[in-house]
Amino acid sequence: MPANIGRVFFSKSVALPFFTFRLFRHGYAHSPIPWREIEVGGVRGLLIGHYEQDDLPEVVVYYLHGGGFSMGSAYFYLEPLLALLTLMQPHWRNPVIFALDYDLVPDKCYPVQLSQAKAGYEYVLSNLVNGEGESVVVAGDSAGATLILSLLLYLAAEPNNEDRKPGFATLISPWVSLVSENNRDTPSDFLNAASLHLYGSQYARKKQYLSDPLVSPGSCRYLDWWARAAPCHGFYITFGGEEVLGPETRELISKLKKAKVKVVVNEEPGLIHAWAIARLFLEESDEERTKGMRQLAAAIAGVHFIESPTDSAESGATAVELPKLYIKEEMEAYVKETAKAITAPTVT
């Protein structure tokens, strides 16, 4: 789908009426789970679930949507995220999801989206979990998963980051390397490598940034950096066996395992990019529609009943000095300015 068409189709103005239509079609006059728009201190998104300031959630999923950085919105993901939250509810008394809306290319390019992802994470830490990073599950699909990986690498480069690390990460069809010879067309996938490379280059803004791990996480070859970046309980990664992005996803999994990071992998044979999201709209039976979300909910629930993985300091990864990060100062200044205005959301 061309970016200019996708940008309209996946936007709030189209996605929200489409969501409302699907609710009516299934017999609901309104959403069975409350959600509200959040816009505070430069952070925009949807807070989904039963949230009260005096009753903080036990677990928060911080979700970043896909769309090649050029299209997509949190509103288009309302149905999958409501399904995920419903499947999580038997495991926790009051789980919530915060889905970030970040600026799109070409309006804004790197480092703005990463800065907004960082500010959104700060919002979750400060307002939803009382600073307890282990109560946060960071999640995303496609380009959203790219931003999650970039965020984790960024946090790892900060001093004294252990208390701020999320508890777990779930990635759906991550776009690991924005431009790579390993991103190759397949007979089944709806994506094509040429379009991906175009979108990735537009997001990066400058060619040299495509080799920066904060822009294209697959370029990070330092096992020690990955060990420090890993959430407390590791990763759950799901992707389709016929994905254009499959080879780079497998390479990321290999790096994480070499860094002694706990990673649970679900490669679905014969399936395509972002299958867990697409099936919710395309399949007919509830079992098939919710398969991906059920697997995600099970992975998130399971992580709270296992011991923490081996501490990264004992991982055996080779210690290296972190490389200089491109325009990190510019990004930090943006985040610092944005964070000044972040306050708790008003509950109505």
Side-chain angles (χ1 to χ4, degrees):
M1 180 183 294
N4 59 338
I5 297 176
R7 182 163 180 160
V8 174
F9 182 77
F10 298 121
S11 68
K12 175 184 177 181
S13 60
V14 175
L16 192 53
F18 180 62
F19 169 71
T20 304
F21 163 75
R22 286 178 65 84
L23 281 177
F24 283 135
R25 183 184 177 194
H26 291 279
Y28 293 99
H30 53 78
S31 174
I33 296 176
W35 59 271
R36 72 187 75 173
E37 296 176 323
I38 298 294
E39 185 166 356
V40 54
V43 174
R44 308 186 315 276
L46 301 179
L47 185 60
I48 305 168
H50 297 274
Y51 167 76
E52 298 294 340
Q53 286 180 310
D54 58 354
D55 185 23
L56 295 180
E58 294 175 306
V59 62
V60 175
V61 175
Y62 175 45
Y63 197 89
L64 274 61
H65 68 79
F69 301 106
S70 302
M71 61 189 91
S73 71
Y75 297 90
F76 181 75
Y77 284 75
L78 260 173
E79 186 171 346
L81 294 178
L82 284 166
L84 176 60
L85 192 66
T86 299
L87 292 162
M88 291 174 61
Q89 286 177 335
H91 303 285
W92 294 279
R93 181 173 50 81
N94 60 342
V96 301
I97 296 175
F98 179 65
L100 182 74
D101 253 336
Y102 53 86
D103 289 334
L104 300 176
V105 173
D107 299 342
K108 301 289 183 181
C109 303
Y110 177 81
V112 171
Q113 289 83 354
L114 180 53
S115 300
Q116 291 172 334
K118 172 74 158 45
Y121 185 66
E122 296 290 347
Y123 164 78
V124 170
L125 285 181
S126 300
N127 297 282
L128 303 182
V129 296
N130 198 28
E132 297 180 4
E134 195 168 356
S135 297
V136 181
V137 176
V138 292
D141 67 285
S142 195
T146 309
L147 287 172
I148 291 296
L149 290 169
S150 298
L151 174 64
L152 291 171
L153 289 170
Y154 177 82
L155 293 174
E158 292 184 324
N160 305 315
N161 76 319
E162 288 301 315
D163 292 339
R164 295 164 47 76
K165 292 175 71 169
F168 194 49
T170 64
L171 307 178
I172 302 171
S173 299
W175 187 5
V176 178
S177 297
L178 299 187
V179 176
S180 170
E181 293 180 354
N182 292 329
N183 296 335
R184 298 173 183 172
D185 294 349
T186 71
S188 304
D189 203 356
F190 61 89
L191 294 181
N192 68 79
S195 295
L196 285 170
H197 293 170
L198 174 62
Y199 296 154
S201 297
Q202 290 174 336
Y203 165 66
R205 187 162 55 94
K206 296 182 180 179
K207 186 175 181 179
Q208 66 264 35
Y209 293 166
L210 290 171
S211 59
D212 182 346
L214 293 187
V215 181
S216 185
S219 64
C220 180
R221 62 186 185 277
Y222 301 102
L223 297 185
D224 182 66
W225 197 351
W226 281 116
R228 280 186 268 180
C232 304
H233 299 284
F235 292 83
Y236 170 75
I237 301 175
T238 183
F239 65 105
E242 291 297 311
E243 288 207 34
V244 172
L245 302 176
E248 283 291 329
T249 301
R250 298 183 191 99
E251 178 63 25
L252 170 66
I253 292 164
S254 176
K255 288 178 185 177
L256 293 174
K257 289 181 175 179
K258 288 177 182 178
K260 309 300 184 188
V261 171
K262 180 176 177 59
V263 53
V264 178
V265 180
N266 177 44
E267 179 176 349
E268 288 285 332
L271 293 188
I272 58 173
H273 182 68
W275 69 271
I277 303 295
R279 287 175 79 117
L280 202 74
F281 296 101
L282 301 177
E283 295 289 348
E284 294 185 3
S285 73
D286 285 345
E287 183 177 355
E288 288 300 317
R289 289 179 63 246
T290 61
K291 179 179 178 180
M293 294 299 106
R294 283 188 283 111
Q295 291 175 346
L296 254 67
I300 295 169
V303 79
H304 287 265
F305 301 101
I306 61 174
E307 295 295 323
S308 298
T310 304
D311 187 85
S312 61
E314 301 173 359
S315 67
T318 303
V320 296
E321 181 179 353
L322 293 180
K324 185 177 184 296
L325 306 180
Y326 289 117
I327 55 176
K328 181 180 176 184
E329 296 78 9
E330 178 182 346
M331 185 172 70
E332 286 180 334
Y334 180 94
V335 171
K336 184 177 180 181
E337 186 63 29
T338 301
K340 288 179 182 178
I342 294 180
T343 57
T346 300
V347 178
T348 57

